[in-house]
Amino acid sequence: MDLSRRRFLEAAVLTAATAGLTAACGGGSGSSGGKDSKTLKLWYWAGGMSDKVVADAKKHFSDTTLKTSVIGGDFKTKLLTGMKTAQTAPDITGIKGEDIASFLPNANRFLDLNELGMDKLAPEYLSWKLKQATTQDGKLIGFPIDIGPCAVYYREDLFAKAGLPTDPAKVSAELSTWDAFFEAGVELHKAVPKSFLVNNIGAVFSMAVGQGTKRFIDEDNTFIGDQDHIRAAWTTAVKAYTLGIDAKINDNTWNAAVGNGTVATGLGAAWYALDIQNAAPATKGKWRVASLPSGPSNLGGSFLCLPSTCANPEKAFEVVSWILNPENQARGFTDAALFPTAPAAYKLPALTGGDAFFGGQKTIEIFGPAAEKIPAAYEAPADAAVSAAYYNELTAIEAKGKNPEDAWKDAVSQAKQIAQRQGVK
Amino acid sequence: MARYWSQYLAVSPYYLIFSVFMLFPMLYTVYLAFQKWDGIGEMQFVGLQQFRFLWDDPIFWLSLRNTLVIWVLATVPMLFMALVLAVLVNSVRRFTAFYRVALFIPSITSLVAIAIFFGAIFSNNFGLINAILQAMHVSAVPWLSNEWTIKLVIAALMTWQWTGYNAIIYLAGLQAIPSELYEAARMDGAGPVRIFFSITIPLLRPIILFTVVVSTVTGLQSFTEPQVLFGSDASTNPNSGGPGQAGLTTLLYFYHQAFDNNDFGYAAAIVWAFFLLILLIVTINWRLVQRKERRP
């Protein structure tokens, strides 16, 4: 077949016209969706919400079609791409706790939940967690799904072998400071040479920073990562290394290390329990939970947000507040280890029962009080990016034996540079 | 011209897809490299500021050093082994089809799967290699936490994947060498080593040049290997390149800036600086191998 230029041009124009038409139609249907849409798209990641509660929500709101997608891979990147146009954007989306701060400068891309009625519900939820999703001018963009109050997970049998206290209340009381905790680790390592107290010193640093009311950048967008509060957290972390109680596990061998007792304790949030259970089911009954030395800290915990393109804000807020009411949060805890953000849930049977994996211990006695006492710290949009420099240098101490003093200087200078790049003063 | 429209139409899908998915994003990154942009907010023109940051960024230079070391560790043994394998396969008479398929399999296997497999083999405490070492009463090597062994593992992974691919290319080159040349050499009394260096290598030079350039371009772009081996250390510090950042290649650093930190302007600056570097190295490579060819 010989195609003449004219025929080719005709074909090309036709193709272009069709494409244009499709695009135009697509745009039309998106904007005509209006405020009375019957379909709401909900995005979250695997394990980010209780699948059972979500399934119930679909039945409960029979007048609305709730289209849920469990998004795999890099959730934040996919959300950024999805939010480019109204057609592809979800009406309700999960945002991870570590990412929420980086969305705050673009709060105008989300609906203010206070305007939808969250201001009335707020007293039922943890105030420090709401603060994390609130802009400086008081706009709330995230409904808290869960939190990550931190604790010490420890192997009761190994503690017994080393002659350390084994009862959770006693451990919490006697190892109540980092120094006391580390001393116990030295004794433990002496008695059980293959066991170490901490997994890696980055974990200690993360806990210690979370115990403070300030992080790396303050409310005026000034870099404060070189000040005493960060330096103290750094010194605490490095101490675990110099005492030789650091297992230096920075790769995927953690699972095996938990199973064979190389790590005798874990510093982690409430959801960490599920990680230990999955990694080492055979250690069931040997673990206990005690309070974090030197006060509570938070790690992770996510939000549900309504992008400003949401088809039906009132309905969406109704759905979200139903999914995250105290009763359903308690179910989320049993179902997906999501620690409730509504203190009322802490008194419900789902949380007050004993946990067989922890020898029947009522872990809420540790997590509940911790959750309510977590210090509210301002988390700047660039916080996660800036903090990376410290973790990298702490790992360099473990991996290369880098001098801790040099590592501190490098961490601060790199953190400053990242901060500058992100527009921090 | 008019007579060839149908041919142009036939090849056009490639160019259309190329322009939408490769050319446009490429040009867009040039634009992005002069902006500060977090992905959903307003773009802000910052001129050459991103490149000035780049110049002062010790981690960028560290990532360049890592990339170059890993590239040398992977490419040199890879091309050498590929040539040896190709000569061996070329000399066998039976099962040649089987050998060719076997050589090609690693390069079509999913890189992610290979990386997970290598991660398990080289695991510090529970890996196969350390288990064997300990069985032979040799102390275990912390493969995935030592600064140098991390690079070695990544290089080994790349070598494993691409040796067979290059061997197939060499094999094609070997088979294009007329057999009369070999016969004449043998008549003149040349041994196999002499034949290899005086006939095989000189006639294979264009092919070697091709593989060197291709391996440079692909080898410097190592990303998936460290990303899978050391990608998500923790939610607090993802894609940092493993202990001591020894596995942080430039493309992993680029990915980290763009998709973990949402610093898209800076990420664009990183890839453009890196593009210039690859161009420079390829040119040097090309000139080196070219010059040898001119020598009598």
Side-chain angles (χ1 to χ4, degrees), chain A residues 171-231:
Chain A
V171 173
S172 304
E174 290 182 27
L175 312 184
S176 64
T177 63
W178 285 113
D179 284 342
F181 180 62
F182 291 159
E183 261 168 53
V186 175
E187 275 174 56
L188 175 86
H189 187 57
K190 241 186 261 164
V192 193
K194 74 160 190 173
S195 287
F196 294 91
L197 190 74
V198 298
N199 173 23
N200 60 51
I201 56 178
V204 179
F205 182 70
S206 143
M207 294 292 142
V209 170
Q211 288 172 332
T213 51
K214 288 184 281 180
R215 296 182 67 87
F216 301 91
I217 298 158
D218 70 8
E219 278 97 335
D220 302 328
N221 208 24
T222 311
F223 176 75
I224 51 169
D226 51 354
Q227 292 181 5
D228 289 346
H229 62 288
I230 297 295
R231 177 76 216 214

Side-chain angles (χ1 to χ4, degrees), chain A residues 252, chain B residues 106-120 157 160-161 223-229:
Chain A
N252 49 17
Chain B
S107 59
I108 54 165
T109 313
S110 155
L111 188 47
V112 174
I114 304 174
I116 292 173
F117 182 64
F118 265 68
L157 206 163
W160 193 81
Q161 195 185 18
F223 161 71
T224 315
E225 300 89 349
Q227 212 258 347
V228 175
L229 280 173

Side-chain angles (χ1 to χ4, degrees), chain B residues 20 51 89 97 139 261:
Chain B
V20 173
F51 291 95
V89 173
S139 59
N261 291 355

Side-chain angles (χ1 to χ4, degrees), chain A residues 246-334:
Chain A
D246 171 18
K248 302 177 198 169
I249 295 174
N250 284 302
D251 58 3
N252 49 17
T253 56
W254 179 82
N255 281 18
V258 169
N260 74 359
T262 303
V263 288
T265 73
L267 300 169
W271 42 260
Y272 200 58
L274 205 61
D275 291 355
I276 298 179
Q277 288 176 37
N278 289 338
T283 58
K284 184 176 175 178
K286 293 177 180 170
W287 290 88
R288 297 289 181 275
V289 185
S291 302
L292 195 69
S294 300
S297 189
N298 179 66
L299 194 65
S302 325
F303 296 89
L304 277 181
C305 303
L306 309 181
S308 47
T309 52
C310 179
N312 190 344
E314 284 77 27
K315 197 77 205 169
F317 184 74
E318 207 184 310
V319 171
V320 170
S321 49
W322 185 83
I323 288 178
L324 297 175
N325 70 27
E327 293 80 47
N328 283 328
Q329 286 208 359
R331 294 181 57 206
F333 179 74
T334 340

Side-chain angles (χ1 to χ4, degrees), chain A residues 371-411:
Chain A
E372 297 185 49
K373 275 184 291 184
I374 287 167
Y378 169 71
E379 202 173 324
D383 195 86
V386 168
S387 69
Y390 298 86
Y391 292 107
N392 288 335
E393 287 301 316
L394 285 170
T395 329
I397 295 176
E398 289 174 321
K400 305 183 195 171
K402 188 167 179 174
N403 178 301
E405 204 47 44
D406 295 344
W408 166 256
K409 281 183 197 134
D410 289 351

